[in-house]
Amino acid sequence: MSSNVLSESDKSKVVDLANRHTKPSGTTYQYGTAGFRMKADQLDPVMFTVGIVAALRSKKLDSKIIGVMVTASHNPEEDNGVKLVDPRGDMLEQAWEGYATALANSSSPEELVHQIHQMVTALQIDLSKPANVIYARDTRPSGPALVSALVDGLKAAPGGTTTYTDEGVLTTPILHYLVRCKNTLGTEEEYGVPTEEGYYEKLATAFKKLLKPRGSIDSQNAPEELLVDCANGVGTTATEKLAKHLEGYIKLIPVNTSIDKLGVLNKGCGADYVKTQQKLPPSMVPLLQPNQRACSLDGDADRLMYYYLDRNGKFKMLDGDKIAALVAGFFGELMEHAGISKEELDVGVVQTAYANGASTHYLSQRVPVQCVPTGVKHLHHAAEHYSIGVYFEANGHGTVLFSANALNVLRRHQATSPAQQASLENLIALTELINQTVGDALSDMLLVEVVLAYRGHGGAEWDSLYTDLPNRLVKVSVKDRGAFKTEDAERRLTAPQGLQDKLDALIKKYEGGRAFVRPSGTEDVVRVYAEATHKVEADELAFKVAGMVYDEVGGDPASRPKEFM
Ligand code: G16
């Protein structure tokens, strides 16, 4: 019998277990850009309430499997985080973020019971339904204890049985893949074999359809070997396993693979280091040769940055914007070669305010381009409006989505020549190679290698699609990042009052100047981005804006930008 009411035994179970996970007074939690994320030692009570939310979400969605990923991705090792994955492998529906936040901020076990009751009533959740949840974590040392707190939350979930499975240590994209596979198993939308091994097999099979073994004509431009900086994180094991599946096709060489050493995760390496420092991870310096390319993953392998050394040995970065430009153009070409018109399938690109102005200009001349707020959840939903939606954040987070209609068109299309047929088969193989659930560094890496091999291009040719405008990204630690509110896809500030006018007056002084300020949703900082025609001016603008931000609200003196003040 359906029920929206917590029984007395439900209530006492919640209270008993919640007593083991009390919230420190004065702490406020917020489901941010990618879930809850903060210093790991503050997360125990949040993990507990997230367990309850995951079970309730499953009940609400007819017992579909919900995923929970314990990771702080690109953040330092001492941070951790948790996010929920919806049944199709995408991010938690945004309307639920508020409920997750409310439960996490309950000031006592009794208040938590009250919040659960409110949520169950408002959302008409049938508690009698069973719940199904799977979870995984990255390699952070804080992970196992946080998983225990999560399990207590799953045990505390009210109503019918909650079944949960520990999927172990996995990359974020593999957990997303598993959620979708398990929920579609036996349906027309079956996504793949619901195991970690099934994931590698799916990617490798598609890659092998697209690129012939090394030594054959089609593979002549794939690199002999590709150095993959694994950020000393969970991407290490995934890269090693994937490499085995790809033997004879491409040789992946994992670098920064110390997953058991304390303090090295994302330190001096990884996608975020490359993007923010705009230089090679020091460990890559002795390894990378002029004219050679390599890539960096982040701590949970959902971001990818490419780079190469030019013939003079100068570092050149190929970020998420460059990946979007490469990939969007490739789909256009393949469709044309397969005899599929733009009217049948439209290709669109989604970016954020961080996209380099030159990339937006380049892409806008070729395809529709949309700008949305930071966070894969925003990009993913916007990309779903296109037949083939390419979304990438400049930081290397992104993927390509194919609509149900696009998959139908590809299945039904009648090629009229062997050449058309070959392009059509390649398009279909790409729908298998590309992770449809979330940005996935490993899947994106194989995609990039396929495109470059087809075009016969290396890093330099790819880089020459357009020239990045000089830019600078700065973090400012302030007393209260909540004081910063934005509009227009985070390109303008609405608070603190008057600050945007001051910024406008400053930006006007710089040739090609553009800058914006937004509070991070994953770190306790405010981010400042600036670009200008000349590098020195982009740097100066970024630091002047950072100085204004700091002066507006005050903050940690150590993080007051010193340059150009
Ligand atoms: C997460 C999100 C990304 C976002 C990044 C930074 O990445 O998934 O979409 O770009 O945080 O967000 P913010 O600027 O708000 O801190 P990851 O790789 O850390 O999960």
Side-chain angles (χ1 to χ4, degrees):
M1 211 173 58
S2 79
S3 157
N4 307 125
V5 182
L6 274 79
S7 68
E8 287 310 311
S9 84
D10 282 338
K11 289 180 192 168
S12 59
K13 192 169 59 170
V14 172
V15 170
D16 284 353
L17 286 160
N19 271 321
R20 298 186 201 164
H21 304 282
T22 47
K23 176 176 157 309
S25 61
T27 316
T28 308
Y29 299 112
Q30 175 72 42
Y31 199 100
T33 311
F36 295 102
R37 203 175 282 190
M38 59 210 311
K39 292 275 168 281
D41 57 10
Q42 296 172 31
L43 272 169
D44 178 274
V46 179
M47 300 302 299
F48 175 71
T49 55
V50 164
I52 297 175
V53 176
L56 293 176
R57 180 86 183 136
S58 174
K59 286 172 191 281
K60 176 69 189 170
L61 299 178
D62 274 333
S63 307
K64 291 244 167 45
I65 295 163
I66 296 298
V68 182
M69 185 68 206
V70 181
T71 177
S73 191
H74 74 280
N75 289 45
E77 186 169 304
E78 58 274 21
D79 290 3
N80 214 326
V82 60
K83 64 180 167 190
L84 290 157
V85 180
D86 261 357
R88 290 184 58 74
D90 48 355
M91 303 289 190
L92 174 70
E93 183 187 306
Q94 253 172 286
W96 275 59
E97 293 181 4
Y99 292 106
T101 302
L103 261 61
N105 286 312
S106 305
S107 53
S108 67
E110 292 70 26
E111 161 74 5
L112 177 60
V113 169
H114 173 69
Q115 288 294 344
I116 296 172
H117 170 75
Q118 300 273 81
M119 180 176 173
V120 169
T121 313
L123 296 168
Q124 287 292 295
I125 297 172
D126 180 357
L127 292 176
S128 68
K129 292 206 167 150
N132 292 294
V133 177
I134 64 173
Y135 56 85
R137 62 179 175 89
D138 68 14
T139 53
R140 283 179 161 75
S142 55
L146 293 176
V147 161
S148 301
L150 173 75
V151 169
D152 274 356
L154 292 164
K155 287 181 184 158
T161 335
T162 297
T163 306
Y164 45 87
T165 311
D166 184 355
E167 299 288 347
V169 176
L170 290 179
T171 70
T172 294
I174 297 181
L175 193 264
H176 284 252
Y177 164 88
L178 289 180
V179 170
R180 176 122 160 209
C181 290
K182 286 178 187 257
N183 281 308
T184 53
L185 200 61
T187 72
E188 275 185 4
E189 292 188 320
E190 198 160 288
Y191 188 63
V193 177
T195 59
E196 183 188 359
E197 190 57 23
Y199 165 88
Y200 301 123
E201 194 55 44
K202 180 171 177 171
L203 260 54
T205 305
F207 189 75
K208 290 173 185 175
K209 277 186 199 155
L210 286 152
L211 277 196
K212 305 290 174 286
R214 286 211 57 76
S216 63
I217 290 177
D218 289 5
S219 73
Q220 63 188 349
N221 296 303
E224 221 28 76
E225 50 184 49
L226 183 68
L227 297 168
V228 184
D229 160 18
C230 300
N232 295 316
V234 64
T236 304
T237 12
T239 304
E240 285 167 357
K241 290 180 185 174
L242 182 62
K244 290 216 170 73
H245 286 262
L246 294 171
E247 271 169 15
Y249 287 77
I250 184 171
K251 187 170 179 191
L252 303 177
I253 305 197
V255 180
N256 296 321
T257 55
S258 304
I259 44 175
D260 296 324
K261 193 169 163 194
L262 283 182
V264 294
L265 177 68
N266 292 326
K267 198 155 187 189
C269 58
D272 198 52
Y273 176 89
V274 173
K275 178 65 183 163
T276 51
Q277 302 297 315
Q278 305 192 6
K279 60 183 185 196
L280 276 186
S283 50
M284 282 282 191
V285 174
L287 304 177
L288 201 63
Q289 303 301 316
N291 281 327
Q292 194 186 357
R293 65 176 172 274
C295 60
S296 288
L297 321 177
D298 70 343
D300 63 341
D302 61 2
R303 293 194 201 180
L304 177 71
M305 293 295 296
Y306 260 87
Y307 37 88
Y308 70 103
L309 296 183
D310 71 8
R311 59 197 165 123
N312 301 315
K314 191 166 175 229
F315 170 80
K316 300 278 185 171
M317 188 169 73
L318 298 155
D319 64 2
D321 298 338
K322 279 267 154 80
I323 299 176
L326 181 78
V327 166
F330 188 57
F331 277 106
E333 264 171 47
L334 274 187
M335 277 167 48
E336 201 184 319
H337 294 164
I340 299 171
S341 70
K342 287 181 185 158
E343 286 67 42
E344 281 173 281
L345 294 184
D346 61 329
V347 178
V349 173
V350 186
Q351 302 185 312
T352 70
Y354 291 108
N356 193 280
S359 81
T360 310
H361 179 72
Y362 172 89
L363 282 162
S364 309
Q365 289 178 325
R366 291 158 176 85
V367 287
V369 179
Q370 202 185 332
C371 180
V372 298
T374 300
V376 167
K377 57 190 177 191
H378 300 296
L379 289 109
H380 194 93
H381 292 309
E384 283 174 333
H385 293 117
Y386 300 102
S387 312
I388 301 180
V390 178
Y391 75 81
F392 273 92
E393 295 183 288
N395 63 23
H397 208 153
T399 190
V400 181
L401 300 182
F402 301 89
S403 68
N405 178 51
L407 295 176
N408 270 334
V409 168
L410 294 179
R411 259 183 238 126
R412 291 194 192 138
H413 184 72
Q414 298 289 329
T416 56
S417 69
Q420 278 200 357
Q421 183 63 26
S423 294
L424 180 65
E425 283 168 16
N426 285 336
L427 276 167
I428 293 171
L430 286 168
T431 67
E432 296 285 309
L433 180 71
I434 299 170
N435 192 332
Q436 296 295 291
T437 62
V438 78
D440 180 340
L442 293 177
S443 153
D444 291 342
M445 173 186 78
L446 297 182
L447 170 63
V448 164
E449 290 307 325
V450 165
V451 182
L452 293 178
Y454 268 76
R455 292 207 169 143
H457 285 177
E461 291 90 348
W462 173 13
D463 200 17
S464 70
L465 291 178
Y466 62 85
T467 305
D468 272 326
L469 281 169
N471 58 89
R472 185 77 190 230
L473 193 57
V474 180
K475 291 183 198 181
V476 194
S477 280
V478 294
K479 271 193 199 131
D480 176 18
R481 71 182 147 132
F484 293 81
K485 307 271 182 246
T486 61
E487 62 177 5
D488 188 22
E490 303 181 318
R491 288 174 287 197
R492 297 187 63 78
L493 280 174
T494 52
Q497 220 187 354
L499 183 55
Q500 186 62 49
D501 292 340
K502 290 187 203 161
L503 295 179
D504 289 342
L506 176 71
I507 295 165
K508 255 200 269 168
K509 296 181 187 161
Y510 291 82
E511 188 189 331
R514 179 170 79 91
F516 66 89
V517 173
R518 58 173 284 278
S520 162
T522 60
E523 294 174 64
D524 194 12
V525 295
V526 168
R527 299 198 199 280
V528 171
Y529 175 86
E531 62 186 33
T533 308
H534 306 289
K535 177 71 180 141
V536 64
E537 293 189 335
D539 289 344
E540 184 179 298
L541 178 57
F543 282 106
K544 283 207 163 145
V545 171
M548 279 183 173
V549 164
Y550 182 91
D551 292 342
E552 193 72 27
V553 283
D556 172 9
S559 90
R560 187 180 197 289
K562 293 170 193 65
E563 294 90 338
F564 305 107
M565 288 295 110

